[in-house]
Each structure stands twice: as structure tokens, then as C-alpha cells.
Amino acid sequence: MHETEDMDAEMDFDDGEEPSFSDPEDFEDDISDQELLEDVIRERPQEADGIDSVVVVDNVPQVGQDRLEKLKNVIHKIFSKFGKITNEFYPEAEGKTKGYIFLEYSAPGHANEAVKNADGYKLDKQHTFRVNLFTDFDKYMNISDEWETPEKQPFKDFGNLRHWMEDQDCRDQYSVIYEAGERTGIFANDAKDPVTVEERARWTETYVRWSPKGTYLATFHQRGIALWGGEKFKQIQRFSHQGVQLIDFSPCERYVVTFSPLMDTKDDPQAIIIWDVLTGQKKRGFHCESSAHWPIFKWSNDGKFFARMSQDTLSIYETPSMGLLDKKSLKINGIKDFSWSPGDNIIAFWVPEDKDIPARVTLMQLPTRNEIRVRNLFNVVDCKLHWQKNGDYLCVKVDRTPKGTQGVVTNFEIFRMREKQVPVDVVEMKDSIIAFAWEPNGSKFAVLHGESPRINSSFYHVKSNGKIDLIKMFDKQQANSIFWSPQGQFLVLAGLRSMNGALAFVDTSDCTMMNIAEHYMASDVEWDPTGRYVVTSVSWWSHKVDNAYWLWTFQGRLLQKNNKDRFCQLLWRPRPPILLSQEQIKAIKKDLKKYSKIFEQKDRLSQSKASKELIDKRRAMMEDYRTYREAALKMHQEQRTLRLELRGGVDTDELDSNVDDWEEETIEFFISEDIFPFGEL
């Protein structure tokens, strides 16, 4: 039937009569453009498109046609670093440029980068660029001439952010994650039992991190980072960074750096974001191809500079502008690694050998970029940079292959940073190096060297006369890690994980072994900030059984065994730098015997206080028992009538206690028979 109709329609059309496509006179077109062309309208250019990608560069040299091409090349070289330039316009008047230009980028993010990095760029003595977004002109033109008083923002009181420093017993705090991350607790350290300060369920999704001075506790969430602090650990700040995985603080606690592999785009760098801790604002974003060597940015000791390394380039940025220092990076061919001094704005970096050019270690002063020391090295395989905590010494561990020999020899190149011209001393070791660590507040360092089971631990002292003496060497140690006390002098040699948690507590003043112990399968060792206590732990993240943390004195005496279900992580809360001068510290050490009497008296009082607390606790438990017993007896008496009714009037409560109802019954049974023979009488 349908085929017949189609054929009829075709026959009508072939006869030369075209069908009418006109609408009837009474037809109303009620279909909007939005319904008809929705997909096309959705992609139409917006009013702001293009304008957001335009920057205006002022203070550009005014040149004629003969020098215009050269100027364009210079401008393009400078501004093409921030993105692809799609259009440029140089206004002219009377045959010369007007001194300002317009540049259009392919994306708004490139324009923002140009404003951040090129504003203030010094082209020559007479010309310093001022760079602004084109859209900013409308914003500034529409500013009212009448002054409006800003609204007063309410003050957010987070409490005393360093209240834990006012603890009368000077107890340090630490964070503990357990139950496979489901619970996080903050505890005050006590020699008898830890005191709970705060405890919450699902406080973090992965792990926690303290800020360098202990002011903030950072927790990780899928949508970003949260900072907590104050007496009740209120939320102080949060930073939205989807899929955040890693975090790093500046030493001054003013900035925080976050990393997420999910957010990075070509036009808008968001893999790494630097935030202002106080305001919560994003300061700048960066691209990141790999986070294998975290932190990507390394900070100077005062937080004024931070730097990152890329191929043949060292980029140093300054705060708070977050721009490149002197608007340009350092070109260092072959740079392998770098590190900031913990005490000064000095960068140390090393470059491997290149044909006839030897490897070298360079010390550079910032922000002047003056090279204060260069050390040439030969036959270098690898280098590692180790700073002493105060920046007094730098040890460069150099692995070398001397000509004519087989195997690797290690040299420790010791730079004396506080002396003129930075002299260098060398310690050579032919054994393979397992671990190296400086004494935090001193001039000694410890080395683990050799092959298992003959691992040796050696202790060296850097003297002021230019000599480095071997103080002591212990042989056949079960250790693969060195943990110095934060105050120096004492350390723990630990055989973690594969070495089953062997521990050796050493006093380096006379190099004596104070104690040898073991925490089976220990995975971590953490000193408290004072150096009085040390914690060894077995993390559920590395070992699924025996999860616990043990508290020891610095001498190796075990105080506590804290078993936590699926214990994951323990971190001591850092303390801010001490406010006392070196002279005041020396005076306190000189009068230590006078203070020790006060502390001993306080310890006795605390012990008696603990005994009193135990007695009070037992009395309270006894009182609770008596109260419960009286209530149970009262209920038993009230139910007596009901029991009699249920048991036909027989008082079963008295059956066993009524002596008159007792019947005496004697039972005899045969046990055994013995026959003894007697002689004739």
C-alpha cells in the first residue's frame, strides 16, 4: 500500500507540478532559535572571548619603521615564553610607535602568566614594562569617584594557636592514625600513659602532616586540604585542589604547596599550586610532569625564595610575587641536584663531568647569584648533598671510580661554611655506604658502611683546626638507618624492616652503647622535639600484624607499649625555634644542677599525685560497685512477691539457707583393701 502511494507521489512530481512549500496564511512560527539551533548557539563566541586573552604592554620603546622589526622580534622573544601569541598590534603616530602595544594570546591563562611574570620586566635603563590585562581597563574605568568605606569583616578567633607550648608539664603532642585510617587522635606525651587531647573519626582520607613550627595540622581529602589548629583543633583554612596527593610547607609557614595529578591542563597549570596560608588564596600554579622527587620546589630557610630544577635549568622564584628572580632562570648545563642551606640563603648544586670538563660542586649566594665556592671533582659517578641542620657544614658524598682501580670509592667532601673562603676537608672510605647523618646541633657525623652481616658504624668529629677525627667504630651492627636526637649527642642505630627492628642507643660524647634492644619488624623511628623520648613503630601500611608504637627514653629504657588496631602513622608535633640566645642557653646549662633539684622535687610530687589519682580512681570504682549492688538488691526485693506467685508460694530463695530443712545422709563406699601378713606370735 505504501509503495503504491510513493509511486503516485513520484508520478505527480514527474508531471512537472512542484509541491508547495509555503506556509498557510494563518500559520504561526512558534519555534525559537534556541530550540532549532541549540548546538550552534551554545558554541557561539561570547562577548568576552578574545578580550580575556589580550594584554597591554606599556613603556615600550618608541621607534620608527627602520627599527620596528627589531622591536617586534625582541617583544616576541620575551612574551612568547608564556604562550602562543595569535595577534599583535603596535599603534603608531607620526611614523613612530606610541610606546604601548597589544598582544593577544591563544588562551586567557597565557595572558595571566604574562602579566604575572613580565610586569616590571626591565628591558633597559630607560624602559621597564608595565603589563596589564585589557579587561582590567574597563574595571578601573568604572571605579566610582566617591569613596565607599569597606565593610568590616568579622574577626575569626581560632584561639591560641600555640597553646600546647603553655602546658605546665611541658608535654609534647603527637598525632596517631589507626584503624587503617578510620580514626585520628592527638595525644599529649606522658611517661605513664598518653593523654588524649583530640580524637575524631575519618578526620583525614590518607595521612596527616604537621606544619614546620607545629602551628597547623593538615588533613587530606578528595577535594583538597584542610588546616586545623587552636585549642580545640578548629578548621582554620582549606584549599580546594581536587585529587590532592602531596603537600609541602614553606619553613616560615606562610605558604603551602599542593600537588594533584588530576587538575593539570595545558592552558591553566594546576598540577602544583602555591597557596597563601593566611588568606587561603591561590598564589600561582605550575605544571608538573612527575612527582617522583617530591618536593618539586625547595624553599630557602626564611621562605623568601623557592626553586625548582628542570633540564639544564635552575629556576629561582621570590615571594610574595611568585615571579622569577631577576625575571630569568639560571642556565646550568647538566645540573643533577641542588639543595638550600638550612641557615643561609645559599644554594649548593652539582654538575657531572662533560668530556674534558670535570664535575663540580658550586655554592651560590642569593639573591646576588655570586659563586662563593666551586669545587672540581674527577671520575665522579654520583653525588649527594647533606647539610648540617644549622648550615655550619655541607657534606658532599662523592662516589668515584679512580683510574686504574675497580669498584667505587666514596669521598666525603666537608665544606666549612663559617670559615673564610669555605675550606674543604676530605674523608675517604672504600666500603659501600649505607647511611650518613649529621649531628643536628654539633660538628659530628655518623656513617654506616660495609656489607651485611659486617656492617660498621663510624663516628667522626670535625674539629676547628681543620682535622676530621675518627672517634669510634662499632663493627657487626644490625642497622641500616641513623636517627640523631634533635638536640644532638644521642642517636639510635636502627635495623628497620628487613633487619627485624634491631635498635642500638648510643651516647656519642664518649661513644658508649647505652642499650641494645629490639622492636620486631619496626618500620619507623621518631624522636620527640626535646630529644628526651623516641618512638619506634610498626605501621599497618608496611606490615599487617603486630601494629603498635613503643615509647623509649633517650637511653633506651622502654616506657610504654601502645597497641593500636591497624596502627598506621605517628608524627610528633614540631616546636617553633627557641627564643633564648646562645648565652642564655649556656647559662642554663651552667646552672643545671640548681634546676635539677627543682625538677626532682616536681617529679616526686607528680609520682605522689599519680598515686593519689590511682587511689581516687579505685575509690570511685568501689563506690560505683556499691551503688550498683544496692540497686540490684532493691530490685530483687521488689520482685519477691512475683516470684512467690510464679512458684506456688514456695520461697525458693530460702531453700539453700534454711538449716532446719536439711537432712543428714551418710554414704559409705569401698575404696581399696590392703592385706598385711604377720608372723607367728
Side-chain angles (χ1 to χ4, degrees), residues 593-604:
K593 291 184 178 180
K594 180 180 69 176
Y595 296 115
S596 63
K597 295 179 180 179
I598 302 174
F599 295 140
E600 289 172 1
Q601 183 180 2
K602 191 173 183 179
D603 289 340
R604 286 194 295 269

Side-chain angles (χ1 to χ4, degrees), residues 223-327:
R223 298 178 60 185
I225 295 292
L227 297 187
W228 312 79
E231 298 178 11
K232 298 297 181 181
F233 284 93
K234 297 179 181 178
Q235 187 178 111
I236 295 176
Q237 198 60 264
R238 58 184 178 181
F239 311 102
S240 179
H241 200 182
Q242 191 76 19
V244 63
Q245 293 183 355
L246 300 169
I247 189 177
D248 185 40
F249 284 91
S250 64
C252 58
E253 293 188 339
R254 180 65 190 272
Y255 307 102
V256 62
V257 186
T258 58
F259 167 76
S260 171
L262 305 180
M263 299 295 292
D264 205 15
T265 60
K266 184 176 180 181
D267 296 334
D268 187 14
Q270 294 190 53
I272 298 177
I273 299 179
I274 299 180
W275 308 85
D276 189 309
V277 170
L278 298 179
T279 63
Q281 294 180 346
K282 174 183 174 181
K283 300 295 291 183
R284 187 174 176 183
F286 294 88
H287 292 296
C288 180
E289 297 178 357
S290 172
S291 63
H293 301 285
W294 184 262
I296 302 296
F297 291 105
K298 298 180 182 179
W299 292 85
S300 63
N301 71 302
D302 55 7
K304 292 183 178 179
F305 305 98
F306 60 98
R308 73 179 299 181
M309 183 184 67
S310 56
Q311 186 175 1
D312 299 332
T313 303
L314 181 62
S315 300
I316 304 171
Y317 301 84
E318 55 185 342
T319 60
S321 67
M322 302 297 163
L324 277 170
L325 180 64
D326 296 334
K327 308 300 179 184

